[in-house]
Amino acid sequence: MTGILRHISWLIGIMLFITISCNDNEKVQPADGEGTEGEVEFLLTSSPGTYSTTDPGTLAERTVSELDVLVVKDDIFQYRRQAIQSVTSFRTTLVIDEGLTLYFIANQRTLLENSTELVEGKSWENDIRPSLILQDPTGLINAQLLPMWGIKSNVTIEKDIINQIGNINMLRAVASVDVYNTEETDVFTLQEAYLYFVPDKGYLAPSAILYDTDKEDVLAPESPSDMQNYATGLRANKVENQAIAHQLYLYENDAPASSRRYSRLVVGGSYNGGETTYYPVDFLDDVDLYKILQITRNYKYQVVIGHVYSPGYPDPDTASEASDSRMDLDVIDWNMEYENELVFDGPHYISLQRKQVYLYKPAGSYSTLTMTTNIDPAELVMEFGSDKNGPMSQDGQYHIRNDRFDVEMLFDQNGKVEGLRFTALQEYNTTDIQSNLDILVISSNRMKLEIKIEQINESPTQWIDGGNIPVDVGEE
């Protein structure tokens, strides 16, 4: 009886999707001329476009309320379909065809329905995509749900089956900005923030040229060439625990080399208990401090205020044009490409060159990994993942070892963490292969990062031009 009910339910579902498809207001010419369509099911990643493995984002940054599928073939737009959400997936029906590119647009149905360019037979790249432009930077300050998109290429829709497209990674069409104050509040109290010179429009859908399907990542900003800057500051004045609680979002934009008309942040606060003054903040590369970052969709830009030297400028407009920030700060740009090499908790982060290290088979072989963090080293705890290689012992606070591996935290001349050095204490073990593996765990409060250590049965002289195992070149 249960099987019959399930079958009836499934037939009702198919009828519902066909009804919805027929009411979609687009005239569709089936590929085989018979009006045949196939049932399509696809999943979205559980946390669309998260910036790192430890930060799921706000509810507005991960919620998909409406989802539309735009069907394109050979750069020609075919039709649009609404997708219906079930318990675990989304479903719709599409015309039987092959070689399709599917664009998934989330939370933007009104824009799609009002588009005058969304017409069958038009060029996707020249007509449709340029029409999908968001043009309200002020609305981003109060965004309830963020626009997102995903893409799936070379899709075939077949008859008489449920076409399962697989996981669709939805990326946000905007960048996010967080502001934290770590200065002592009796020196500086954060009160508000402004965004200046914000683009007043940005593309909703991706350009295939700038979209890396392997990494599910946008490679560079793609704002329209005729983009204008929104010169009036967009204000957010909700502060909780010395952090801007109101979400700040930006459209993508390049950074002009010869003008200050790139996106800038202005923070307002009280210095030494005085009246509110204002400080300009540039989105500067954390390595090349003279390089203005290109604001790219789905990146998170974390601005962490450190030491504040003096009162700021008298008003936000003056600060937006000023060159001296009068404070120390870090700007960290998080990107999904590096999600496996970093963790962060609020303003605190640990970033690694990679999360796996290889050592050659001789005892004494070593390798180093670059590591950066804004956490006090005294608050970092290093330990091995298990005691399978013997008990852990310490040689000072930042140096641990067991019977097989030695790990030392490295510091630069200013006392900042700059890396980790791993050393093999024994020859490669050919009788107990598992003893050649271990895990280093680095933790601080709620943050935990694991690094896989592996000793390989090879000598340095056996690898020419790096071989095919990523051992640090030149190390023994």
Side-chain angles (χ1 to χ4, degrees):
M1 186 66 178
T2 302
I4 294 174
L5 291 175
R6 185 181 299 113
H7 183 67
I8 293 173
S9 175
W10 180 247
L11 288 176
I12 293 173
I14 292 177
M15 293 175 63
L16 173 64
F17 293 129
I18 292 175
T19 301
I20 291 172
S21 299
C22 292
N23 291 332
D24 233 6
N25 297 325
E26 287 91 4
K27 295 181 180 180
V28 179
Q29 180 63 40
D32 59 2
E34 299 177 0
T36 306
E37 301 202 358
E39 187 79 16
V40 179
E41 180 181 49
F42 48 90
L43 303 174
L44 303 185
T45 51
S46 58
S47 294
T50 49
Y51 304 101
S52 98
T53 54
T54 60
D55 179 30
T58 65
L59 187 62
E61 290 176 323
R62 64 178 186 267
T63 298
V64 174
S65 175
E66 302 170 335
L67 192 66
D68 290 77
V69 183
L70 307 185
V71 181
V72 175
K73 184 174 183 179
D74 298 329
D75 190 48
I76 300 302
F77 175 71
Q78 307 295 309
Y79 54 93
R80 173 178 68 92
R81 287 291 161 81
Q82 296 181 11
I84 307 300
Q85 185 171 13
S86 65
V87 176
T88 59
S89 63
F90 284 82
R91 292 179 178 177
T92 189
T93 59
L94 299 180
V95 177
I96 304 302
D97 207 343
E98 61 183 17
L100 302 175
T101 298
L102 306 182
Y103 287 90
F104 301 86
I105 308 294
N107 304 330
Q108 292 294 297
R109 184 162 294 163
T110 300
L111 179 147
L112 296 175
E113 291 177 341
N114 293 334
S115 172
T116 58
E117 292 294 323
L118 211 62
V119 178
E120 182 183 351
K122 284 202 171 187
S123 164
W124 166 260
E125 193 64 30
N126 297 329
D127 301 317
I128 308 299
R129 196 179 82 87
S131 74
L132 301 181
I133 291 180
L134 304 176
Q135 303 191 44
D136 182 14
T138 57
L140 289 177
I141 292 289
N142 299 300
Q144 297 299 312
L145 294 176
L146 292 186
M148 307 179 195
W149 54 259
I151 183 174
K152 200 74 172 181
S153 302
N154 197 27
V155 175
T156 296
I157 307 300
E158 301 183 36
K159 298 180 182 179
D160 304 325
I161 66 170
I162 300 175
N163 295 269
Q164 295 183 326
I165 304 300
N167 285 329
I168 307 300
N169 194 301
M170 301 295 289
L171 299 185
R172 304 179 184 94
V174 294
S176 174
V177 180
D178 292 341
V179 184
Y180 300 93
N181 176 38
T182 61
E183 174 65 285
E184 297 293 336
T185 53
D186 58 349
V187 176
F188 179 76
T189 302
L190 179 64
Q191 295 172 326
E192 57 188 357
Y194 295 77
L195 286 170
Y196 274 83
F197 314 125
V198 177
D200 66 353
K201 56 186 172 181
Y203 278 128
L204 173 64
S207 164
I209 298 175
L210 298 177
Y211 181 63
D212 189 327
T213 55
D214 293 330
K215 296 179 180 177
E216 301 288 353
D217 185 33
V218 175
L219 304 180
E222 49 178 339
S223 295
S225 58
D226 62 344
M227 175 186 77
Q228 300 297 312
N229 283 318
Y230 190 84
T232 303
L234 304 179
R235 183 185 183 205
N237 61 356
K238 185 178 180 182
V239 177
E240 294 178 358
N241 299 319
Q242 286 302 287
I244 296 295
H246 205 311
Q247 292 299 306
L248 299 173
Y249 301 110
L250 280 172
Y251 296 135
E252 295 180 306
N253 61 103
D254 293 332
S258 60
S259 169
R260 287 209 168 274
R261 296 287 172 161
Y262 44 74
S263 293
R264 302 187 90 191
L265 181 73
V266 171
V267 296
S270 171
Y271 178 76
N272 285 345
E275 62 183 12
T276 302
T277 55
Y278 299 89
Y279 303 77
V281 176
D282 287 326
F283 294 97
L284 294 171
D285 187 275
D286 57 354
V287 176
D288 183 355
L289 297 181
Y290 295 96
K291 178 182 178 182
I292 302 293
L293 293 170
Q294 294 182 322
I295 305 299
T296 307
R297 71 177 66 194
N298 204 49
Y299 276 51
K300 177 184 285 290
Y301 298 88
Q302 284 192 315
V303 177
V304 182
I305 300 170
H307 183 60
V308 180
Y309 297 103
S310 67
Y313 296 90
D315 59 79
D317 289 348
T318 301
S320 73
E321 299 280 3
S323 58
D324 180 14
S325 67
R326 302 182 181 181
M327 61 170 56
D328 289 336
L329 46 82
D330 289 326
V331 177
I332 308 123
D333 56 317
W334 304 111
N335 180 15
M336 290 181 62
E337 178 182 355
Y338 305 108
E339 65 178 348
N340 292 325
E341 286 78 37
L342 63 88
V343 294
F344 66 90
D345 178 16
H348 302 112
Y349 72 92
I350 304 174
S351 179
L352 275 177
Q353 180 182 359
R354 58 179 179 271
K355 292 178 67 178
Q356 188 165 27
V357 62
Y358 296 92
L359 303 173
Y360 291 119
K361 70 177 183 179
S365 64
Y366 68 90
S367 183
T368 58
L369 293 183
T370 300
M371 172 179 166
T372 58
T373 180
N374 63 353
I375 300 173
D376 185 342
E379 298 181 8
L380 296 175
V381 177
M382 291 197 305
E383 55 189 347
F384 291 102
S386 70
D387 58 0
K388 69 175 184 177
N389 282 319
M392 184 187 82
S393 61
Q394 288 195 261
D395 183 7
Q397 184 175 359
Y398 309 110
H399 196 169
I400 64 172
R401 62 168 58 91
N402 56 24
D403 293 343
R404 176 159 292 277
F405 297 112
D406 178 284
V407 183
E408 181 181 6
M409 192 174 292
L410 306 176
F411 297 85
D412 64 16
Q413 60 184 4
N414 297 316
K416 291 188 175 182
V417 178
E418 65 177 2
L420 298 166
R421 179 185 176 101
F422 299 81
T423 305
L425 300 178
Q426 297 186 40
E427 184 86 6
Y428 179 86
N429 192 332
T430 57
T431 59
D432 182 6
I433 302 301
Q434 290 303 310
S435 70
N436 300 299
L437 302 173
D438 217 322
I439 298 290
L440 174 68
V441 179
I442 301 176
S443 59
S444 174
N445 296 322
R446 296 182 298 176
M447 301 172 65
K448 184 172 76 171
L449 188 113
E450 295 185 352
I451 304 168
K452 181 181 177 181
I453 310 170
E454 181 176 357
Q455 191 172 6
I456 59 177
N457 190 23
E458 303 290 348
S459 297
T461 55
Q462 292 178 261
W463 294 95
I464 305 298
D465 296 330
N468 57 16
I469 291 184
V471 181
D472 287 348
V473 177
E475 297 182 352
E476 299 181 357

